């Protein structure tokens, strides 16, 4: 199985930055703890990346956020913290256990009125959101099954308003983007989505490389034209 390989100094620097600059609140810490207690994988974004999501939501003035991949609600809570009073967030998750743990965390964080968890395969949820007239969204965060990344990007363009922000996690994947044999399961989906990001007529994008507790990875940032 593919494993990330964080170096100890990256983890130490991330812990320092989290403590000195990022300041995750107790509800966010509870999201991490509850996931561990429930035996869920520790594949949430790093605290500094979560805070980046919150700041991006605020900086772009996003009011309607769509997330693909909830886990225990860590990134959901960060983005929810960046919403204005009338803001809303829809998050897609297909595992009932993850959705249940996430809901407890989101509610305890005081975001129960703003956040809706949609249970089921995200591709079905995204089609339902379109049918229900829930678009357009101002900000879309993609962080679920990597095989479907290109499909999620297509949906982001379809459901996002012109000028909306798209963020795609895991854009470097320990360098597997230039050596797909490292992870034949996930790398093709990640590479395909990056290629789509680079050539899509309605997307303007870049990728920031990151290191930390999640290893060597990256955040792709895009704007819908
Ligand atoms: N964004 C979360 C965070 O940073 O706190 C982490 C999300 S985790 C990387 C991916 C989540 O997507 C998992 O909870 C997984 O069950 C869910 N997932 C995977 N494939 C999915 C699919 N096809 N539809 C909906 N959710 C899916």
């Amino acid at each position: 199985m593919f494993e990330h390989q964080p170096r100890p100094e990256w983890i130490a620097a991330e812990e320092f930055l989290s403590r000195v600059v990022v300041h995750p609140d107790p509800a966010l810490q509870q999201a991490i703890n509850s996931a561990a207690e429930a035996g869920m994988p520790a594949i949430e974004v790093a605290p500094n990346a979560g805070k980046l999501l919150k700041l991006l939501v605020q900086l772009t003035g996003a009011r309607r956020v769509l997330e693909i991949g909830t886990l225990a609600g860590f990134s959901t809570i960060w983005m929810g913290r960046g919403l204005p009073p009338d803001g809303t967030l829809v998050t897609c998750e297909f595992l009932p256990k993850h959705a249940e743990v996430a809901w407890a965390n989101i509610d305890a964080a005081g975001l129960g009125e703003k956040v809706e968890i949609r249970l089921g395969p995200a591709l079905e949820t995204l089609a339902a959101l379109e049918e229900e007239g829930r678009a357009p969204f101002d900000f879309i965060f993609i962080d679920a099954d990597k095989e479907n990344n290109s499909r999620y990007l297509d949906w982001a363009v379809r459901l996002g308003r012109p000028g909306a922000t798209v963020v795609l996690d895991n854009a470097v994947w320990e360098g597997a983007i230039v050596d797909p044999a490292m992870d034949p399961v996930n790398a093709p989906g990640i590479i395909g989505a990056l290629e789509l990001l680079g050539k899509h007529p309605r997307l303007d994008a870049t990728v920031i490389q990151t290191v930390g507790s999640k290893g060597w990875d990256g955040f792709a940032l895009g704007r819908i034209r």
Side-chain angles (χ1 to χ4, degrees), residues 35 37-40 71 93-103 119:
E37 282 158 20
M40 292 159 61
L71 195 67
E93 174 57 57
F94 79 160
L95 289 181
K97 179 170 131 184
H98 291 191
E100 193 184 318
V101 172
W103 180 250
L119 190 60

Side-chain angles (χ1 to χ4, degrees), residues 80-166:
R81 295 273 189 248
L83 284 171
D86 64 344
T88 56
L89 189 158
V90 177
T91 183
C92 308
E93 174 57 57
F94 79 160
L95 289 181
K97 179 170 131 184
H98 291 191
E100 193 184 318
V101 172
W103 180 250
N105 291 327
I106 289 163
D107 201 31
L111 292 166
E113 299 280 303
K114 289 184 172 173
V115 175
E116 181 187 355
I117 302 181
R118 298 285 296 243
L119 190 60
L123 289 172
E124 289 178 19
T125 303
L126 296 167
L129 290 171
E130 182 179 58
E131 214 162 282
E132 293 163 20
R134 298 291 298 276
F137 291 92
D138 305 310
F139 191 101
I140 299 132
F141 177 48
I142 301 169
D143 186 20
D145 47 332
K146 309 309 164 197
E147 303 94 297
N148 280 318
N149 268 1
S150 291
R151 293 181 191 91
Y152 295 145
L153 265 186
D154 277 332
W155 271 109
V157 171
R158 212 156 141 176
L159 298 179
R161 67 165 166 78
T165 308
V166 180

Side-chain angles (χ1 to χ4, degrees), residues 5-53:
Q5 296 149 11
R7 285 171 32 182
E9 63 270 33
W10 298 347
I11 298 174
E14 182 180 296
E15 283 169 1
F16 173 83
L17 295 172
S18 184
R19 181 165 39 82
V20 173
V21 182
V22 175
H23 305 306
D25 65 38
L28 286 158
Q29 190 52 53
Q30 175 55 19
I32 305 283
N33 297 346
S34 63
E37 282 158 20
M40 292 159 61
I43 51 174
E44 74 286 345
V45 296
N48 54 322
K51 182 90 177 259
L52 175 65
L53 289 170

Side-chain angles (χ1 to χ4, degrees), residues 54-92:
K54 174 199 165 186
L55 290 169
L56 286 172
V57 166
Q58 289 176 321
L59 289 166
T60 58
R63 288 178 53 246
R64 293 151 69 93
V65 174
L66 172 63
E67 177 178 55
I68 304 171
T70 315
L71 195 67
F74 186 71
S75 54
T76 319
I77 295 171
W78 271 118
M79 291 189 286
R81 295 273 189 248
L83 284 171
D86 64 344
T88 56
L89 189 158
V90 177
T91 183
C92 308

